[in-house]
């Protein structure tokens, strides 16, 4: 099964992607992870990306496409759950040339839920571990379970900043979402309940998808 998963920051996309990966027995391919790996291994592409990001520029479309192509060649024959790609209609067309997508999951979560969830996020100053005041509380308030470090709220998890990130996400993703809707591949999954069991959502997704002939 070849699946693309879309969702705003804080929609639980990563969680659903890794659970779907287990259920379907396919790899979870995240272009964000692939990019970090290229940089870590200091490959020619990795070095190029580093140069772009250190000068504050955006990594070109084609570079990400190249990295994904390489990943697809090195074993995605049984399928995949793809996250972080495509970000543009152009990339969606490139992806269609690489492989046939069976379904595109579009996670729909109200802004209020996302803001509540993300603004409850805390990070350890020393080791970087992530906590959540609602869903993943540290044992001692304000202190990291792992290293005892001080917990703080990241600047990009402040409500006004989250609102802006959501706006940016929506504007950027709308054309790609429309593209897949017109191709008949889009499956909308609503998640209004902030306390919904992720397993429930995953089984809902599994019921909606099937391989294309
Ligand atoms: Zn820590």
């Amino acid at each position: 099964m070849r699946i693309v998963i879309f969702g705003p920051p804080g929609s639980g996309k990563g969680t659903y992607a890794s659970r779907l990966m287990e259920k379907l027995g396919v790899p979870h391919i995240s272009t964000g992870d692939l990019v970090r790996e290229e940089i870590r291994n200091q490959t020619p592409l990795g070095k190029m990306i580093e140069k772009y990001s250190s000068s504050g520029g955006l990594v070109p479309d084609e570079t990400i496409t190249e990295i994904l192509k390489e990943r697809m060649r090195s074993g995605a024959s049984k399928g995949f759950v793809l996250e972080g790609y495509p970000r543009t209609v152009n990339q969606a067309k490139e992806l269609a040339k690489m492989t046939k997508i069976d379904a595109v999951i579009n996670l729909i979560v109200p802004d209020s839920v996302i803001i509540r969830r993300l603004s409850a996020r805390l990070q350890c100053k020393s080791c970087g571990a992530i906590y959540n005041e609602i869903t993943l509380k540290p044992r001692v308030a304000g202190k990291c379970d792992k290293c005892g470090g001080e917990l703080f709220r990241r600047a990009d998890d402040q409500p006004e900043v989250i609102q802006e990130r959501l706006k940016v996400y929506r504007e950027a993703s709308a054309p790609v979402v429309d593209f897949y809707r017109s191709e008949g591949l889009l499956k909308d999954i609503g998640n209004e309940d902030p306390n919904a069991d992720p397993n429930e959502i995953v089984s809902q997704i599994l019921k909606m998808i099937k391989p294309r002939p």
Side-chain angles (χ1 to χ4, degrees):
M1 194 92 84
R2 300 175 188 86
I3 295 168
V4 174
I5 188 161
F6 275 118
S11 58
K13 196 175 29 181
T15 309
Y16 301 136
S18 50
R19 287 184 197 219
L20 282 170
M21 164 191 95
E22 285 165 26
K23 294 268 182 201
L24 297 167
V26 298
H28 169 200
I29 301 179
S30 147
T31 46
D33 289 348
L34 292 179
V35 163
R36 280 186 284 275
E37 211 177 287
E38 296 278 337
I39 295 173
R40 207 170 36 242
N41 297 334
Q42 287 291 298
T43 64
L45 280 175
K47 285 181 186 164
M48 199 172 105
I49 293 169
E50 223 172 19
K51 218 166 61 191
Y52 275 111
S53 15
S54 63
S55 62
L58 279 177
V59 183
D61 253 32
E62 311 83 67
T63 309
I64 308 289
T65 301
E66 208 40 59
I67 292 172
L68 183 63
K69 263 188 200 160
E70 218 173 275
R71 175 65 186 82
M72 292 284 187
R73 274 196 292 267
S74 70
S77 52
K78 283 198 301 183
F80 49 79
V81 179
L82 178 60
E83 186 197 339
Y85 192 99
R87 289 194 193 263
T88 62
V89 173
N90 237 341
Q91 287 184 340
K93 288 177 180 162
E94 285 296 328
L95 182 61
K97 282 186 223 160
M98 280 179 237
T99 186
K100 190 181 67 190
I101 297 298
D102 293 311
V104 176
I105 309 296
N106 186 33
L107 296 169
I108 299 171
V109 187
D111 282 11
S112 58
V113 171
I114 291 178
I115 289 168
R116 204 177 324 141
R117 192 181 291 160
L118 288 186
S119 59
R121 235 165 32 160
L122 295 171
Q123 190 170 14
C124 172
K125 258 185 190 159
S126 314
C127 75
I130 302 275
Y131 296 87
N132 189 296
E133 290 168 317
I134 304 164
T135 53
L136 188 66
K137 284 187 191 162
R139 282 194 295 268
V140 179
K143 289 236 180 305
C144 177
D145 289 354
K146 290 175 187 143
C147 75
E150 192 189 327
L151 303 183
F152 74 108
R153 196 179 314 283
R154 296 193 326 197
D156 58 352
D157 288 340
Q158 307 291 347
E160 318 77 65
V161 183
I162 298 167
Q163 197 94 61
E164 184 58 29
R165 282 164 68 199
L166 289 174
K167 198 177 136 223
V168 169
Y169 168 79
R170 232 155 253 138
E171 282 169 7
S173 65
V176 191
V177 166
D178 288 346
F179 172 79
Y180 282 122
R181 202 182 296 281
S182 70
E183 299 267 297
L185 292 175
L186 202 75
K187 310 283 177 201
D188 288 321
I189 303 276
N191 181 8
E192 307 259 318
D193 176 7
N195 303 313
D197 179 0
N199 288 320
E200 279 289 308
I201 309 277
V202 169
S203 54
Q204 213 181 311
I205 294 174
L206 289 170
K207 270 182 225 147
M208 291 177 89
I209 55 178
K210 53 174 178 282
R212 279 203 291 164

